[in-house]
Amino acid sequence: MMAESKGALDGLVVLDLSRILAGPTATQLLGDFGARVIKVENPKTGGDDTRSWGPNYALNPDGTRSDLSAYFMAANRNKQSIAVDLSTPEGQDTIRKLAARADVVIENYKPGGLKKYGLDHETMLAAHPGLVYCSISGYGQTGPNRSQPGYDLMAQGFGGIMSLTGDPDGAPMKVGVGIADVMCGMYACIGILAALRHRDATGEGQHIDLALVDAQMAWLINEGTNFLTSGKEPVRRGNAHPNIVPYEAFETADGWFLLAVGNDGQFARFCDAFGLQSLAEDDAYRTNLARIENREVLIPQIAATLAKLPKAEVLRRCQDALVPAGPINTVKEALTSDQAVARETVREVPAAVKGGHVKLLANPLKLSRTPVRYDLAPPRFGQDSDAVLKMLGEDD
């Protein structure tokens, strides 16, 4: 019988001083890979802000509302929760002792906010030169905006993505989830793993300075480089693509679907499948560059043809012609689809709540040797304080 595999980060200890979404996303990933994550929560506020971000909560066994909001559970599995008041000398001493045992410290206080407690990166790294210390803030540790608070919405607005999102004639629109926070958490996890690699090779820890706004501007990707290359300001295109045509949502006789024609061969096959061969043979549309230049004339012609056909027929023809196309699922349709079931996109994790478990979105990584672990459900506030303090040899 094969022994149960350990996580890739088994043995690492992460001291998590972060809250809300960016930092917790990073530490949840590290916990998924086997690290021991100790989440420090403020007893004065009842813990992480997102514990109170309803309206959806896991229920206690007696049917009352627990402190496990759906929002909190999205980014806090595989962690232990300890209640520590950083404003007290005793709390600061506890954090220092935990840091001495930790490989990684991650925090998202305002720049300089932990210095008054002696828990800032300079102080910590001086005491523990091998420590990897990651600071996440809205605008970074430097720059004229360094002292301003950072929320996902502010990052999306400042970083440019809202100017690209939404209907061309409508208002700028944020992405429907906290994508700036989540991507910042991804960058944080990558930076921490890189710093750990360096630490293991040299013994040197380091400070990681990461900003929500910096991360958001980094994933402007092609639209960012479109501007840098051309000097032209990108514009909102709704569901359309700035560099590929046709690549957007179209309405059929009984609903919407997505068409993603990625190259000229696919366009020719699409036209053949829908009796539009004349478009494929027209020099105005034969190449993607030509289609971009003439999209305002091309798209209405395609839309008029597709609007007469049922969605199932459109999808079947596209599939037969090897042209990328697909449905626009609701969240329920996506998470209950045969594909999601086959890929175990939703995981049930044992928890001391009504029903005995909570449902969580799975980590998408499928590692063959060190699979992702789902050992710990998102913790109740302070539930592991005794266990963590015993690790330090403290009785109370």
Side-chain angles (χ1 to χ4, degrees):
M1 185 175 180
M2 184 180 294
E4 187 177 18
S5 61
K6 294 182 178 180
L9 301 183
D10 184 66
L12 284 176
V13 176
V14 178
L15 181 58
D16 185 2
L17 306 181
S18 70
R19 60 197 186 280
I20 304 183
L21 189 54
T25 294
T27 53
Q28 176 170 269
L29 288 170
L30 297 172
D32 286 352
F33 302 144
R36 180 178 186 178
V37 180
I38 300 171
K39 182 179 180 70
V40 176
E41 301 193 68
N42 186 350
K44 291 182 177 178
T45 63
D48 193 307
D49 306 49
T50 63
R51 287 188 182 274
S52 63
W53 288 9
N56 301 306
Y57 295 85
L59 299 179
N60 291 314
D62 63 3
T64 59
R65 193 183 79 183
S66 76
D67 63 350
L68 297 178
S69 71
Y71 200 117
F72 176 83
M73 290 192 291
N76 285 288
R77 67 169 169 259
N78 288 327
K79 301 178 186 181
Q80 295 177 295
S81 171
I82 177 172
V84 179
D85 184 353
L86 270 63
S87 68
T88 67
E90 294 82 8
Q92 295 156 23
D93 185 58
T94 296
I95 296 303
R96 293 189 189 96
K97 290 178 179 178
L98 288 170
R101 300 285 191 93
D103 299 279
V104 177
V105 172
I106 183 168
E107 56 91 8
N108 64 347
Y109 286 75
K110 289 183 181 180
L114 289 176
K115 193 172 185 65
K116 59 186 175 182
Y117 302 139
L119 303 177
D120 56 295
H121 71 272
E122 292 179 342
T123 303
M124 289 285 213
L125 284 168
H128 311 291
L131 190 65
V132 172
Y133 191 110
C134 179
S135 297
I136 297 175
S137 59
Y139 295 87
Q141 303 295 307
T142 59
N145 295 341
R146 66 183 295 270
S147 62
Q148 294 187 23
Y151 282 88
D152 177 271
L153 181 62
M154 302 300 107
Q156 289 196 41
F158 190 96
I161 193 64
M162 284 182 67
S163 73
L164 306 177
T165 307
D167 187 85
D169 298 320
M173 192 71 63
K174 75 176 183 67
V175 179
V177 296
I179 190 64
D181 270 333
V182 171
M183 285 302 300
C184 185
M186 297 283 189
Y187 279 112
C189 184
I190 293 169
I192 288 168
L193 293 176
L196 286 170
R197 171 80 170 173
H198 175 77
R199 190 279 308 269
D200 291 347
T202 67
E204 296 176 341
Q206 60 184 298
H207 181 223
I208 300 169
D209 172 9
L210 179 59
L212 280 175
V213 167
D214 291 353
Q216 199 269 264
M217 288 192 281
W219 56 261
L220 287 173
I221 50 172
N222 56 297
E223 284 287 55
T225 51
N226 279 340
F227 165 72
L228 294 174
T229 302
S230 69
K232 297 178 181 178
E233 188 80 78
V235 298
R236 293 195 300 280
R237 300 184 185 278
N239 291 312
H241 196 289
N243 301 100
I244 310 172
V245 176
Y247 191 104
E248 58 187 272
F250 286 93
E251 189 172 13
T252 68
D254 58 352
W256 292 80
F257 85 106
L258 295 172
L259 177 66
V261 173
N263 57 54
D264 298 336
Q266 289 176 3
F267 182 69
R269 296 198 301 274
F270 167 78
C271 291
D272 186 60
F274 290 92
L276 298 172
Q277 292 89 344
S278 62
L279 296 180
E281 296 167 359
D282 192 325
D283 286 343
Y285 314 121
R286 191 190 306 274
T287 67
N288 184 63
L289 184 58
R291 293 193 293 276
I292 292 172
E293 294 173 347
N294 297 290
R295 72 165 77 215
E296 288 79 8
V297 180
L298 173 63
I299 294 301
Q301 297 181 71
I302 294 174
T305 296
L306 296 175
K308 301 173 183 177
L309 300 170
K311 182 168 63 173
E313 173 68 12
V314 171
L315 291 172
R316 184 192 64 77
R317 289 195 197 185
C318 287
Q319 185 174 9
D320 291 347
L322 301 180
V323 173
I328 303 174
N329 286 332
T330 64
V331 172
K332 179 180 178 180
E333 288 169 339
L335 296 182
T336 59
S337 65
D338 292 344
Q339 181 67 20
V341 172
R343 296 291 289 174
E344 296 185 293
T345 302
V346 177
R347 298 294 295 258
E348 291 191 356
V349 181
V353 297
K354 188 176 182 180
H357 65 267
V358 292
K359 291 184 178 180
L360 304 174
L361 296 175
N363 188 311
L365 290 165
K366 315 291 186 186
L367 291 92
S368 63
R369 294 290 185 181
T370 54
V372 169
R373 307 293 295 270
Y374 298 90
D375 296 333
L376 300 176
R380 305 300 295 271
F381 170 60
Q383 71 173 32
D384 305 295
S385 295
D386 289 345
V388 173
L389 291 176
K390 285 179 181 178
M391 180 184 81
L392 299 178
E394 299 184 12
D395 295 329
D396 186 3

